[in-house]
Amino acid sequence: MISERCVSCTTFNIFAPIYKRLNEKDQSCRESQYRAYWQSRNQSIIDRLLGDRSSVICLQEVWLGNEELVDMYEKRLGDVGYISFKLARTNNRGDGLLTAVRRDHFRILNYRELLFNDFGDRVAQLLHVESVVPVLQGPNSNIHAQIIIVNTHLLFPHDSSLCIVRLQQVYKILLYIETYQKEHNLSPMPIVLCGDWNGSKRGHVYKFLRSQGFVSSYDTAHHYTDNDADCHKWVSHRNHRGNICGVDFIWLLNPNMYRKPLRTSWSEAVFGIIKYLLQAASLTNDDAFAFLKADNLGDYIIYSGFCQALHQLGITSQLDGLGPEDAKDLWFQADIDGDGVVNYEEFMKRIWSLKWSEHPNEILGQGTERGSATSIGKHQAFGFRVKDAVLFPPEVEKGMWPEDYSLSDHAPLTVVFSPVRMSYSPS
């Protein structure tokens, strides 16, 4: 007999009082001005969190500029056995992240802070943890699970020019994780990314993470696909414009999942954004090719014209856009035969007709394993199966936002993982 110990994780953007408007007619009237209001609401949020008692709690938009509120969270969570880590956004924005871990579930092996130092002053937390007791117990072995957990809150897409900034934020997170694993010579382990991603299942960030082998835990639990028909089955946020959408995710990457090289996925994601921006300008494929050619009279794109187009599209023109080396990488990817120019066929293949940006499932599949444990060259690893995933209040699971919900403008998402043994082939 093998016994298992499940692991649970909650992510929740708790709506910082400095952003919560109390009067639509008076935009300057914020909840932070009324202590009784924000105190009562945040006490109710903590009540909700303590009712779930998840192994890991990842909060965004915590009002870290207010010591009383921070103490409230740290004391009440600490009283029931959590250890908390907080990280403010850069440039004194006032809010930030708080990650709390149950001491009876995990010990902290390492804690790192990622400061993007970009337009949105965004940050991320990385925790490398190990289970206190074995997550899998059998007659011959006990497995103490190690996991990498990330908590973040991406930039809001105020306009399409910020697509590239948001992609860069996720790329920095994945690159940091990859570097951390190599520096510490870590064995393959599950990676869990939590937070407010400020983008839906139809966005570039979602597709980029899918191309890296991550699965949305909520969609996996409810057997939803990446197809458009399943994009609006659930929501988790009503934004300041009154729109409802699903933006809060707990992403899971198991050791046995196929992953493209990170830079390859990044290049494909950028090409996807380029195509999106060209289509947003109502350009057909022929018009787009002519635009990228710029002033070149030949029937091909040259590097200078390519760079000029990237600048005009806002890909390289803004402070947090792509740099010269990034533009060179994209050019080398686009110039398939290496002859120094990009012809129409290469343009179609690399930019206009990339399949990953529209149908990531065709590349990844939903959790394909790399073989059996008894096969030659296979290694054993520990991973997770998504056992359950719940959004609160229940109406949001049906794509509706209840008017009487007052905890936040986001819904908390809680996922339960059950441990599994799996095999993988070393890369």
Side-chain angles (χ1 to χ4, degrees):
M1 292 291 292
I2 295 178
S3 61
E4 64 178 42
R5 178 169 181 170
C6 291
V7 172
S8 55
C9 187
T10 294
T11 186
F12 193 12
N13 180 323
I14 61 175
F15 203 0
I18 53 176
Y19 303 133
K20 182 174 172 60
R21 300 181 180 94
L22 297 183
N23 189 333
E24 289 302 321
K25 296 182 179 179
D26 181 5
Q27 296 293 306
S28 65
C29 183
R30 303 296 172 99
E31 187 188 54
S32 55
Q33 300 168 258
Y34 302 90
R35 179 176 178 272
Y37 286 13
W38 62 254
Q39 188 181 59
S40 173
R41 182 171 68 88
N42 280 274
Q43 291 285 12
S44 296
I45 289 172
I46 299 173
D47 290 341
R48 175 79 200 177
L49 296 172
L50 296 185
D52 290 338
R53 291 290 297 275
S54 293
S55 309
V56 179
I57 298 171
C58 295
L59 304 179
Q60 305 86 42
E61 273 196 33
V62 181
W63 189 17
L64 297 180
N66 185 288
E67 291 185 7
E68 182 181 358
L69 183 140
V70 174
D71 289 344
M72 179 196 310
Y73 276 88
E74 290 187 324
K75 184 179 188 307
R76 289 195 62 189
L77 291 173
D79 286 347
V80 295
Y82 284 92
I83 179 174
S84 297
F85 300 85
K86 55 185 185 289
L87 176 61
R89 289 169 64 191
T90 49
N91 289 322
N92 299 313
R93 286 298 190 108
D95 69 303
L97 309 172
L98 187 149
T99 302
V101 180
R102 281 182 59 171
R103 295 177 186 270
D104 59 335
H105 281 203
F106 292 109
R107 62 176 64 91
I108 310 299
L109 300 181
N110 212 334
Y111 169 70
R112 296 289 183 88
E113 297 178 348
L114 287 73
L115 309 181
F116 297 144
N117 294 312
D118 60 13
F119 172 78
D121 294 308
R122 300 295 174 169
V123 296
Q125 296 172 296
L126 181 149
L127 289 86
H128 179 194
V129 302
E130 182 179 58
S131 60
V132 172
V133 299
V135 293
L136 284 173
Q137 293 178 298
N140 300 318
S141 64
N142 295 326
I143 296 179
H144 288 265
Q146 290 191 24
I147 310 165
I148 289 177
I149 302 164
V150 171
N151 181 15
T152 195
H153 181 188
L154 296 190
L155 178 69
F156 182 84
H158 295 280
D159 58 64
S160 59
S161 68
L162 298 178
C163 290
I164 197 67
V165 180
R166 291 164 35 76
L167 180 67
Q168 289 290 81
Q169 289 173 346
V170 182
Y171 175 74
K172 289 176 184 178
I173 290 173
L174 299 189
L175 181 61
Y176 192 94
I177 293 172
E178 189 175 275
T179 303
Y180 177 82
Q181 290 179 295
K182 289 178 180 177
E183 286 179 351
H184 293 80
N185 196 27
L186 299 180
S187 300
M189 64 185 66
I191 298 171
V192 178
L193 308 180
C194 304
D196 174 4
W197 300 85
N198 259 326
S200 72
K201 291 177 65 175
R202 302 185 71 175
H204 302 287
V205 165
Y206 181 93
K207 294 168 184 175
F208 177 50
L209 286 167
R210 290 291 287 117
S211 74
Q212 276 292 290
F214 285 88
V215 295
S216 161
S217 297
Y218 185 84
D219 291 291
T220 300
H222 294 268
H223 307 290
Y224 294 149
T225 69
D226 293 337
N227 296 329
D228 286 349
D230 286 342
C231 279
H232 305 290
K233 291 288 182 69
W234 58 274
V235 297
S236 67
H237 176 42
R238 181 166 65 179
N239 65 29
H240 60 283
R241 298 169 177 169
N243 301 322
I244 59 174
C245 43
V247 301
D248 300 272
F249 291 89
I250 295 179
W251 292 95
L252 169 66
L253 177 68
N254 272 320
N256 65 340
M257 287 298 294
Y258 168 74
R259 298 179 70 183
K260 287 184 178 181
L262 179 57
R263 198 63 176 174
T264 300
S265 283
W266 172 85
S267 298
E268 292 178 345
V270 177
F271 285 138
I273 290 175
I274 292 172
K275 177 183 177 181
Y276 167 79
L277 295 173
L278 292 170
Q279 289 182 319
S282 301
L283 298 183
T284 64
N285 55 334
D286 290 339
D287 293 335
F289 183 69
F291 172 75
L292 292 172
K293 280 172 52 181
D295 296 329
N296 176 45
L297 299 178
D299 195 25
Y300 48 81
I301 303 166
I302 60 175
Y303 181 62
S304 61
F306 180 73
C307 291
Q308 179 182 327
L310 293 184
H311 183 85
Q312 289 178 302
L313 291 170
I315 300 292
T316 57
S317 58
Q318 52 188 317
L319 180 63
D320 300 307
L322 303 188
E325 292 303 315
D326 295 323
K328 286 182 182 178
D329 282 353
L330 292 173
W331 178 253
F332 290 140
Q333 290 283 336
D335 182 13
I336 297 173
D337 61 12
D339 64 353
V341 298
V342 174
N343 59 37
Y344 186 78
E345 289 72 26
E346 290 171 323
F347 159 77
M348 289 298 295
K349 184 172 184 179
R350 279 288 187 259
I351 298 176
W352 205 257
S353 301
L354 267 180
K355 295 298 184 183
W356 85 273
S357 63
E358 298 175 1
H359 304 288
N361 276 339
E362 290 182 5
I363 294 174
L364 297 172
Q366 294 269 8
T368 304
E369 295 197 4
R370 291 183 174 174
S372 67
T374 58
S375 300
I376 297 175
K378 303 296 181 181
H379 292 241
Q380 279 276 289
F382 146 80
F384 280 138
R385 179 179 63 85
V386 180
K387 188 173 184 179
D388 196 13
V390 178
L391 284 160
F392 177 84
E395 289 89 343
V396 301
E397 295 195 310
K398 300 176 182 178
M400 299 179 291
W401 192 267
E403 292 298 326
D404 60 350
Y405 174 65
S406 59
L407 284 185
S408 174
D409 60 347
H410 285 257
L413 167 62
T414 298
V415 174
V416 179
F417 299 109
S418 60
V420 292
R421 298 178 190 270
M422 57 182 53
S423 59
Y424 70 96
S425 299
S427 58

